[in-house]
Amino acid sequence: ITVKAKWKANEYLVSLNTNGGHLDGRQEYSFTYNQNYSLPTPRKAGYQFLYWCHNGQKVESFGYYWEFAEDIQLDAFYKAIQSKVTLHFNGGVIDGSGLSTLTMTYDMKYTLPNMKKTGYDFKYWQDEYGRSYALNGYWENTDVTSLSAYYTPKKYQLILMSDGSQYSTRTVTYD
């Protein structure tokens, strides 16, 4: 009598923690030890997915053999998207640095320059989609490539006098 052992590789449960991201499919998978596997790619607004990680160890998403011999959780890691944003001064001058291009990082604090223009008050920065921005805040866009300075003309009160007496007043707008 010949006895042959027949082995079956174990399957292990893998739970995916998207860290605020979104998966189109399920968040739990079963992988067979020492078999090919493929992990899904999560999406997270403003971020680029980098990799899955288990206890500080990077886990490749596909093209390798499953080597964990236990049920595990994988955590998604991302990088905030950075955008180059060109500033259009529209006749104004920067108060402070002379930068005309800024690198903005999603979900990070930003400070935009305050502008000066003779005869005008700086109002706000506006992107190519018509959204306005305060001088300080948290960057929440990945599609913006330019910001333009907008101003309001200053108003002046003219007092018209003749022989030392006021005879009329007018409000005039610079321009």
Side-chain angles (χ1 to χ4, degrees):
I1 286 184
T2 303
V3 177
K4 291 186 178 182
K6 187 167 182 165
W7 298 95
K8 180 181 177 207
N10 292 333
E11 288 189 10
Y12 297 99
L13 182 65
V14 179
S15 300
L16 302 177
N17 171 17
T18 60
N19 283 323
H22 173 74
L23 288 171
D24 288 331
R26 60 189 193 268
Q27 290 193 245
E28 289 191 344
Y29 289 80
S30 179
F31 294 129
T32 303
Y33 186 79
N34 207 28
Q35 296 293 313
N36 263 333
Y37 68 92
S38 180
L39 294 167
T41 300
R43 292 184 322 275
K44 185 176 181 180
Y47 292 84
Q48 175 187 359
F49 173 73
L50 296 177
Y51 54 85
W52 293 103
C53 187
H54 175 66
N55 291 338
Q57 179 184 355
K58 181 180 175 182
V59 177
E60 297 297 334
S61 292
F62 60 91
Y64 290 86
Y65 295 97
W66 193 252
E67 297 177 358
F68 294 99
E70 62 183 332
D71 294 342
I72 64 168
Q73 175 179 300
L74 296 178
D75 300 308
F77 277 80
Y78 306 89
K79 174 178 84 170
I81 294 174
Q82 290 187 326
S83 307
K84 294 273 187 212
V85 178
T86 301
L87 301 178
H88 302 281
F89 305 150
N90 291 336
V93 294
I94 280 186
D95 183 21
S97 83
L99 294 176
S100 62
T101 302
L102 301 174
T103 299
M104 306 297 256
T105 303
Y106 186 84
D107 209 24
M108 296 295 290
K109 188 169 178 54
Y110 71 83
T111 300
L112 295 171
N114 195 3
M115 301 298 295
K116 292 186 178 185
K117 185 175 179 180
T118 302
Y120 294 84
D121 290 319
F122 175 72
K123 191 172 180 185
Y124 54 81
W125 288 97
Q126 187 177 64
D127 68 24
E128 61 265 38
Y129 304 103
R131 299 175 293 214
S132 59
Y133 296 83
L135 292 177
N136 298 295
Y138 285 87
W139 193 249
E140 297 177 355
N141 295 301
T142 58
D143 58 346
V144 174
T145 60
S146 67
L147 293 174
S148 297
Y150 280 81
Y151 309 88
T152 55
K154 290 185 177 186
K155 293 185 180 198
Y156 298 94
Q157 187 77 27
L158 289 181
I159 300 172
L160 303 176
M161 300 184 75
S162 178
D163 294 328
S165 297
Q166 177 180 334
Y167 71 89
S168 178
T169 61
R170 290 187 186 161
T171 302
V172 293
T173 301
Y174 186 85
D175 242 354

